[in-house]
Amino acid sequence: MAFIDEIKAKARECKKTIVLPESMDKRTFAAAANVLAEGVADLIIIGTPEEVAANSEGYDISAATIINPFESEKTQVYVDALVELRKSKGMTAEQAYTLLTTDYMYYACMMVKLGDADGVVSGACHSTANTLRPSLQILKTKPGTKLVSSFFIMVVPDCEYGANGTFVFSDCGLCQNPTSEELAAIAASSAESFKSLVGEEPLVAMLSHSSKGSAKHADIDKVTAAVAIAHEQYPDIKLDGELQLDAAIVPEIGASKAPGSDVAGKANVLVFPDLDAGNIGYKLVQRLAKAEAYGPMCQGIAKPVNDLSRGCSAADIEGVIAFTAVQAQMM
């Protein structure tokens, strides 16, 4: 069974309700039709009748719940709740209504906040900032979380590395230039995400252009400091670095460049030193190795909210919906 099929099977075991706020994109409806047909999740799609009609033609979404924010009886409930949540920022009822009816991500987050849905998937036609801003304002961060970050589940075909070709890559979509402390927090969250979604022990490699002191530079010092912080704050996580990519995943190279390491040559969680490296890295693997790339999914928000690459396919959205449903089960 393919990895994504395993995730879908998990999602079907305890079906959750996922909100899709991007009714202005045909890919949303293509993905929704398959999710509904396979029974992976219950879906709520936010949009006006005109938006839904214009983009859903040819797709069977009859099992989805369609919410028109201009007519739903719940809209006033969400307005009142949003005003209460944001009163310290001077939010008025008029401003709340405008947000909820012009930016459906706010509406989706209010549905999750008030228990009318379990998670949100967005980002096919909106930026990461537009996806995360409402999430952080309304849902807030998960208790005990030091940093909200993102990750990709990468599934590489015919690959003997990682967990049978399955990896977590992070952070590839959110944190631009994390500090050592932030890298350590990203590593901890990514290990938890790998464990919960893949079901195997995470082996975390902190990546660099150096392995164990083979080069000297301030960028390397940032990574080695992150390793030290992670070992101190998260002693139960198997983590090592700094490691070059080949030393992290190829057994014979790991044994040569980092002898005695519990992680080198066996890593399945790859933590990149900055967003440039992470974003370039996942897209190289996706395009050249024909890998399935699910994300960027978020870690550290109180409820499951997952972003999408604007270059995503309907199949990518379908997969992220399944992952979001499984995350909601874990919560």
Side-chain angles (χ1 to χ4, degrees), residues 218-279:
D219 289 346
I220 301 168
D221 295 339
K222 180 179 82 167
V223 177
T224 57
V227 172
I229 293 167
H231 281 158
E232 179 181 350
Q233 295 185 355
Y234 314 104
D236 294 334
I237 297 175
K238 288 188 177 179
L239 176 148
D240 203 3
E242 86 284 11
L243 293 170
Q244 294 163 298
L245 187 279
D246 56 356
I249 66 171
V250 182
E252 57 268 28
I253 298 177
S256 172
K257 293 187 175 183
S261 171
D262 289 337
V263 171
K266 298 174 286 188
N268 47 37
V269 177
L270 305 181
V271 178
F272 292 83
D274 57 39
L275 188 58
D276 286 336
N279 194 269

Side-chain angles (χ1 to χ4, degrees), residues 64 129 136 168 187 234 251 286:
L136 294 175
V168 158
Y234 314 104
Q286 180 187 28

Side-chain angles (χ1 to χ4, degrees), residues 2-3 9 24 30 38 44 81 102 137 153 155-156 199-200 214 233 253 264 278 288-289 304 323:
F3 178 66
M24 65 294 297
E38 295 181 13
I44 297 172
T102 60
Q137 289 178 357
I153 292 280
V155 183
V156 186
E200 297 190 20
S214 63
Q233 295 185 355
I253 298 177
L288 299 186
F323 280 110

